[in-house]
Amino acid sequence: MTTLTLQVPDSLEDAHDDTVRFLAAKLYESGKLSLGQAAEMAGLNKTAFAEILADHEVNYINYSFEDVMADVARISK
């Protein structure tokens, strides 16, 4: 895993874990990280990370409309 240094406002210093979890959740939501990768980034196991996704308004099932339609087309053949 690569280390990235980020400059954040001093007001976030006490919320380090929450900030990292938020970033991991949003990277998962955008499809940049898998659930396992995001959980590792957040320092949690997959189950614990999945439970905090709702806190950041991120759906556990990351399945786009396009993915659904592709599956429907594939099943309909």
Side-chain angles (χ1 to χ4, degrees):
M1 186 175 280
T2 300
T3 299
L4 177 68
T5 302
L6 238 257
Q7 289 185 316
V8 296
D10 291 338
S11 62
L12 292 178
E13 184 177 355
D14 292 336
H16 175 270
D17 291 345
D18 290 336
T19 303
V20 172
R21 289 174 183 170
F22 172 79
L23 290 170
K26 293 303 180 176
L27 288 168
Y28 170 72
E29 179 180 45
S30 70
K32 302 290 185 198
L33 295 178
S34 68
L35 182 69
Q37 290 169 323
E40 181 180 355
M41 179 180 170
L44 301 169
N45 63 42
K46 289 180 187 178
T47 303
F49 182 72
E51 290 175 3
I52 68 147
L53 288 175
D55 296 341
H56 301 292
E57 299 179 3
V58 174
N59 289 321
Y60 172 73
I61 298 174
N62 205 356
Y63 201 53
S64 70
F65 177 75
E66 291 80 16
D67 291 339
V68 171
M69 295 310 293
D71 284 349
V72 168
R74 191 171 32 256
I75 292 168
S76 299
K77 288 183 179 180

